[in-house]
Each structure stands twice: as structure tokens, then as C-alpha cells.
Amino acid sequence: MFITFEGIEGSGKGTALRRSLEWLAEQGCNAVQTREPGGSGLGASLRSLLLHTSSRISSEAELFLYLADRAQHVEEIIRPALASGRTVLSDRFADSTIVYQGYGRGLDPQELFRLNDLAVKGLWPDLTLVLDLDVEVGLERARRRNQEQGLAESEGRFEAEALAFHAKVRDGYRQWAALHPERIRLIDASGSPEEVFARIAPYLAKAL
Ligand code: TYD
């Protein structure tokens, strides 16, 4: 089973993923955890290019770097893990590109769907959990996390983006989720980690 976690900055994807991993282990399901960008060996270099470069990247160049990262991630990590019977939980996957580069940057979401389909050779998640949260609440959480970790407030190109961009991303996730009700579930990400996980658990139980 392949499950992905999506959402805006500070939506709590990482925490939700860790709790899901623990919960699945308690059910006897030994899942593996991975993330994008940067889930594969090649991906580690792509991640630093994507998130820490100071030069301007065109929307198309950015798109193809994310797709290259994903193609390698699927081939090297995700497909082999699924083939050996493991459940895979990924922090971000193809829907991030469709939403950030599509709804966020203005590329065509349907075209991005096709390009992603090529990059992943048809491997789409069985279940995608989109953590849906007010943009200002999310950015405040992300700012606090950066401070706690001693990172600059502007760490990561995307966290430095204008509020308007993040609002487009949040709205994009909602629109995209509505187009794929068979796979994508919108989760209210407000409240404590316990409250959020209580909303997620029934979907995990159903997927098992
Ligand atoms: P990351 O530090 O993983 O952010 P987060 O903590 O929110 O998961 O950085 C990932 C950033 O890259 C995030 O801002 C979203 C962006 N991104 C895209 O724009 N397109 C993509 O396809 C992916 C995977 C990520």
C-alpha cells in the first residue's frame, strides 16, 4: 500500500506521518517512510538545488527537477519497497507538483498530471491525505519550527514566498482533492497532533 501526505508549509504532514507510522506498527504493519524532494541518492543533490539555490529557477526548470527527483525516487525506493510487500508512507509526492507548480505557479494542472504519470510510470498512491489548514496558522507554525531549529526565518525558498502564493497552494489542494475523491482525503489539520491523528486513523484503518 502506498500512502502520501500533502499540505501547505506548517500543516503538520511530518507529525501526521510519524504518528501514522507508529499506529501502523501497532497494527503489525511495518511501513517505510520517505519524502520528496530528496528521497533517493540522486534526490539529495536535487533537493539542495531546489530548496537552497540563490539563482532564479524558471518554472519549467523547477518542474523538471521535481519530476527527475520523483522518477528516481519511484524507481530506486518506492517501487522496490512495494514489490517486497512493504507499505510506503511518503511526505509529499506527485500532488505537490500539481499543486505548487500548477495551481501555485500557473502551469496547467492536467498537463502536470500527464507529466507526472510519465515520471512515476503510472504508480499513483492508494491513499493521499491532504492536511488542510489556514495559511497564516501554517506559516506561523513553520516559522516557530525554524526558530526552534535555529534556522533563519526565510529558510527554504518556499517558506519565503508571499502569503498570496501559499493561499493559492491551499486552494489548489482543495480543488485537486475535489477532482480525485477516490484517492484524496482532505483532513482538517487544525488543533493538536492528537486531534489531527484521530481524523486520519479511520482512513488508515480502512486502507489496511
Ligand atoms: P520541505 O522542506 O520538504 O517542505 P515541507 O516541510 O513543507 O514538506 O520542502 C519542500 C518544498 O518544495 C515545499 O515548499 C513544497 C515544494 N515542492 C514543490 O514545489 N513541488 C514538488 O513537487 C515538491 C515535492 C515540493
Side-chain angles (χ1 to χ4, degrees):
M1 192 184 12
F2 180 26
I3 305 176
T4 59
F5 292 74
E6 296 280 353
I8 60 163
E9 262 61 9
S11 59
K13 289 177 286 94
T15 306
L17 189 151
R18 273 192 304 281
R19 299 215 166 204
S20 301
L21 203 66
E22 286 163 14
W23 185 87
L24 286 167
E26 284 160 21
Q27 316 305 310
C29 171
N30 189 6
V32 288
Q33 145 181 25
T34 186
R35 70 158 178 187
E36 290 192 355
S40 66
L42 173 70
S45 316
L46 289 171
R47 182 178 173 91
S48 63
L49 260 179
L50 280 162
L51 301 185
H52 301 296
T53 189
S54 51
S55 55
R56 200 191 153 278
I57 307 180
S58 79
S59 296
E60 289 73 19
E62 179 184 73
L63 165 67
F64 284 104
L65 287 171
Y66 279 118
L67 292 176
D69 176 61
R70 182 157 308 121
Q72 187 67 20
H73 187 209
V74 166
E75 183 84 8
E76 186 181 315
I77 310 286
I78 301 176
R79 220 181 264 283
L82 292 172
S84 69
R86 306 290 295 274
T87 286
V88 175
L89 307 187
S90 185
D91 185 341
R92 297 195 181 282
F93 191 64
D95 299 306
S96 280
T97 302
I98 291 166
V99 170
Y100 279 79
Q101 279 63 55
Y103 293 96
R105 294 263 188 251
L107 300 176
D108 174 15
Q110 291 303 338
E111 192 164 22
L112 295 180
F113 174 75
R114 287 190 291 278
L115 287 170
N116 268 286
D117 199 44
L118 182 73
V120 306
K121 294 194 200 150
L123 184 78
W124 288 86
D126 300 296
L127 172 66
T128 295
L129 300 163
V130 171
L131 292 151
D132 181 54
L133 186 65
D134 179 80
V135 172
E136 295 196 34
V137 175
L139 289 180
E140 182 50 37
R141 281 188 191 169
R143 239 188 316 269
R144 219 175 315 130
R145 178 188 58 192
N146 281 359
Q147 262 169 10
E148 280 164 16
Q149 295 177 352
L151 301 173
E153 271 200 15
S154 59
E155 181 73 12
R157 287 187 310 114
F158 281 88
E159 281 166 28
E161 293 275 357
L163 202 62
F165 176 77
H166 294 284
K168 275 198 255 178
V169 169
R170 182 199 186 187
D171 195 50
Y173 270 122
R174 298 171 67 102
Q175 289 184 48
W176 186 242
L179 291 176
H180 290 276
E182 77 294 349
R183 166 175 73 87
I184 307 181
R185 303 277 170 251
L186 214 57
I187 306 291
D188 172 5
S190 64
S192 68
E194 291 71 28
E195 286 167 330
V196 177
F197 184 70
R199 299 176 193 129
I200 289 177
Y203 293 115
L204 295 178
K206 206 147 69 178
L208 269 186

